[in-house]
Each structure stands twice: as structure tokens, then as C-alpha cells.
Amino acid sequence: MKWKEALKEMKPYKPGRSIEEVKDLYNLKEVVKLASNENPYGCASSVTEFLTSSSMPFQIYPDGHATNLRSKLAIKHSVDEASILFGNGSDEIISLISRALLDDNTHTIMPAPTFPQYAHNAKIEGADFIEIPLVDGLHDLNAFLSAVNERTAVIWICNPNNPTGNLIPSEELIEFLSKVPENILVVLDEAYFEYVTDPHHTDSIRLLDQFPNILVLRTFSKAYGLAAFRLGYAIGSPAIITELNKVRNPFNNNSLALAVANVALEDDGFIEECRQKNQVQRERYMAYASLNGLHVYDSQTNFVLMEVPMDADEASEFLLKKGFIVRSGNALGTPMHVRITIGTEEQNTGVFHAFDLLLKEKGR
């Protein structure tokens, strides 16, 4: 087989252990998954009611234009319907951007550590890429600008950043965008936008008129609690959306996902409730870290990246045996830290108890 050369040095995505696997492995009755930044409160009750009462013709292809959802999102964000692109999760949109803009003659810039799919797709397309190290969890935007060259096609900004959770101050982001050449696409990946509580944060969609070279990514997988349905979207200028639609597969979103997202989008109360509950629990993690002298990044998401007094894999395994699945920082480029999805009050209390045992074992 004549595989792309880039694939020789790459490995397939390896999912973490499932709840059932951990139960069987350690003979546990209860296991809490806090590794993938899912919504611990599930989805809106209106979605559950819809799923139990609706039916649809399964022999009919999905609406390839996502007409109803497109209309609702356009109204919600005060944008033209032609400004919206839908993907099978934000992951697919990242792939579409890479396929449309990157090849072995181009260059792309991203932070490190960050969401790994930016680099993954750049490698597949054969593009040169540079990873700009974070500074205390934040994008070094001046270094981004210094890295721009005549072949730069895409700049990736994860905001808030995964895995650190930090949010770029709006004034700094705007200043940065004003200095980026207009022929470079700046992707603002905002998967955790709904969890941001910083009162000074500016909705990036409001910047589209000023900066037509930006593309804002959002998702229904996080705060909306619909990760199983794989539905993300991008908002940008109609000219950019038109080009990306040229490489998008038809019917890339299934009918059930589109229908469920239509229902979920109407329940702003559920999102606000989740945002407030998450903020309260996020502050508990900050207080716990401070009390125990542990470094934790300033998160504006539904996860925290917290220091551990040992190898991150070892710490993750310790917490796994206590019934909590977290993400080792070794896999994220953040050694001596673990990423923990912020759960419910009860779940987080359990994490703190397990963490107390971990610290005691290490003499802390």
C-alpha cells in the first residue's frame, strides 16, 4: 500500500479506559469518569423528553443544509445563515480546515500543549508546523506573530486552552488579530465557551466584522451534554464557509443529532445552570489546590489541570484505583499534572478524599 509518508511516524488515537473496564480491572462498584470534559449534569430535560417521544423516517437522508438548526443559530448569534458550517464534532471541522488550506507548501502555527488534532491534521497534510510553548498556560501571542512567514496559512488559537483551561484576555486577543496578515486564517477554537464566567470576556463572534479572517469553532459536546451525537459548528465569513463546504462530505451530520441540537439550543436555562454549578465547583478545586500547595492553572472551563506530587501516570493510576478516571498530564504535554473534569459536588468531594490519600502516601 502506498500510504502517505507522514503516517509512518503517527499512531492511531488511543481512547482511555471505559467505566466498565475500570470496574472489572479493580473490582469497583462505582467509577466516575472525569477524563474527557463531559457535562456531569447530562443534557437538558427537554432533550430527554424529545428522545423518548419522537420518531423520524430513518430511511431518509439527513437535511444536508441543517436548515432548522442553521436558522436558530443564526438568530442566536446574530449572523447570516451563510456564515455557519456544521461538522461531525469540531474535530471534523479542524480536518476540513486542514484539508482545504494545508499541504506540503504551507505552514501553520499552534500553541503547545493544546488540543492535539491541530498538529495531527497538519502532519497528515504534510504541512510544516511550529508549536509555540505556552507561558504559564497562556498563548504567547507575540511569539506567534514572530513565527509567521510567507507560507503561513492557518493559526490555531484554543481559547480557553485545552489542557490548561486558561483564557486569553480579550484586549490581548484583539491586539493580536489586528497584527495578523489578512490572508491567514485564524481559527478560534472555543469548545468551552459556555463555561466562561470572566465578565470582561468578549464573544469572539462579535469580532467577525472587524476581522473577516477569523473562524470561530463551537460545539454541542461540552456544556450542552451531547457528546454522543457529534455535532460542532463554525462561524465565519460566508466566503470562508463556502470554501470549506467544498471539502465537506454531504450529510456529515445525522438526522437525530440535528434534531436533538435544535431542542437543546432552546434551553438557555440549562446552560446557565450548568455554568453556575461548574463555577462553584471550579472554585472548590482552586481552594483545594491552594490549601495543599499544589499548582493549578487558572481555568475558565469545566476542567482543571492540577499538580501531583509524583509522576502523572502514577497519580492517575492511584486515582483510578479509587474509582476516578482522570487524564494523565504525561499524555498532554504537562508532566506532574493531571487534568480533572469538574464533576458534581458529590463527585468532586470524592476526588478530594482520594487526593488526600494520594498526598498522604507521598508525605504531603
Side-chain angles (χ1 to χ4, degrees):
M1 297 294 179
K2 299 179 181 179
W3 304 112
K4 283 185 172 182
E5 284 294 316
L7 300 186
K8 292 182 179 180
E9 304 299 323
M10 300 176 68
K11 296 180 180 179
Y13 175 77
K14 184 179 180 181
R17 291 171 177 168
S18 68
I19 290 175
E20 292 306 316
E21 183 183 0
V22 174
K23 283 183 178 179
D24 292 341
L25 185 63
Y26 294 116
N27 194 28
L28 297 170
K29 292 183 178 180
E30 294 294 331
V31 171
V32 179
K33 184 187 176 192
L34 299 173
S36 300
N37 307 335
E38 297 139 333
N39 189 338
Y41 307 105
C43 59
S45 59
S46 55
V47 171
T48 305
E49 292 168 7
F50 171 81
L51 289 171
T52 57
S53 62
S54 67
S55 62
M56 57 183 59
F58 297 123
Q59 75 279 13
I60 303 297
Y61 279 109
D63 174 6
H65 189 63
T67 306
N68 292 334
L69 184 59
R70 181 181 299 275
S71 176
K72 287 183 179 179
L73 277 172
I75 293 171
K76 179 180 178 66
H77 294 300
S78 301
V79 297
D80 190 282
E81 291 188 13
S83 298
I84 304 173
L85 173 79
F86 291 98
N88 193 265
S90 296
D91 300 56
E92 187 194 21
I93 298 177
I94 293 168
S95 297
L96 295 176
I97 295 166
S98 302
R99 187 178 181 189
L101 283 162
L102 299 180
D103 58 26
D104 56 6
N105 293 313
T106 61
H107 172 258
T108 182
I109 303 169
M110 63 203 68
T114 194
F115 189 50
Q117 290 304 303
Y118 313 144
H120 181 83
N121 281 279
K123 291 175 184 177
I124 291 173
E125 302 302 334
D128 290 333
F129 66 93
I130 183 170
E131 296 176 300
I132 306 295
L134 298 174
V135 177
D136 225 5
L138 283 168
H139 293 62
D140 185 348
L141 297 179
N142 287 329
F144 269 67
L145 292 170
S146 296
V148 170
N149 63 40
E150 68 280 358
R151 295 191 301 119
T152 304
V154 183
I155 294 175
W156 306 91
I157 301 289
C158 189
N159 194 38
N161 186 54
N162 178 12
T164 57
N166 295 74
L167 182 70
I168 301 172
S170 292
E171 62 275 13
E172 292 183 19
L173 179 61
I174 292 170
E175 182 182 0
F176 166 74
L177 293 173
S178 69
K179 297 177 181 178
V180 175
E182 294 180 359
N183 65 339
I184 296 175
L185 180 68
V186 180
V187 180
L188 303 178
D189 188 349
E190 300 182 347
Y192 300 94
F193 170 79
E194 287 80 11
Y195 287 111
V196 173
T197 56
D198 184 341
H200 303 294
H201 182 57
T202 299
D203 184 346
S204 298
I205 294 173
R206 306 280 70 82
L207 303 177
L208 283 166
D209 289 339
Q210 184 178 356
F211 304 108
N213 61 323
I214 67 173
L215 187 70
V216 182
L217 308 191
R218 301 277 172 88
T219 184
F220 285 94
S221 294
K222 303 304 179 184
Y224 284 94
L226 302 179
F229 294 96
R230 309 306 301 124
L231 184 59
Y233 63 97
I235 297 181
S237 74
I240 289 174
I241 298 301
T242 295
E243 295 303 308
L244 293 176
N245 266 320
K246 293 177 181 178
V247 297
R248 178 181 64 86
N249 288 326
F251 313 119
N252 60 327
N253 297 116
N254 69 75
S255 297
L256 188 56
L258 293 173
V260 165
N262 262 295
V263 177
L265 197 62
E266 295 178 351
D267 202 333
D268 290 334
F270 173 74
I271 297 299
E272 182 59 31
E273 179 184 355
C274 290
R275 179 166 41 241
Q276 295 306 321
K277 286 181 177 179
N278 182 76
Q279 181 182 16
V280 170
Q281 296 305 312
R282 189 166 62 203
E283 289 172 356
R284 289 183 69 198
Y285 274 94
M286 298 299 174
Y288 181 87
S290 176
L291 180 65
N292 289 281
L294 300 171
H295 175 257
V296 63
Y297 288 90
D298 184 19
S299 175
Q300 281 285 310
T301 65
N302 70 330
F303 62 83
V304 293
L305 186 65
M306 192 159 71
E307 182 187 7
V308 288
M310 60 180 77
D311 177 76
D313 286 348
E314 183 184 348
S316 297
E317 194 69 19
F318 182 97
L319 294 172
L320 201 64
K321 292 176 181 179
K322 303 301 179 184
F324 297 96
I325 306 175
V326 301
R327 195 84 160 92
S328 168
N330 289 350
L332 303 171
T334 55
M336 302 297 291
H337 288 75
V338 294
R339 192 188 67 190
I340 308 171
T341 302
I342 298 168
T344 64
E345 180 177 5
E346 180 181 3
Q347 290 169 345
N348 298 327
T349 297
V351 171
F352 298 147
H353 288 161
F355 233 93
D356 286 343
L357 296 174
L358 184 152
L359 295 175
K360 183 177 181 181
E361 181 170 291
K362 287 298 176 180
R364 293 286 294 267

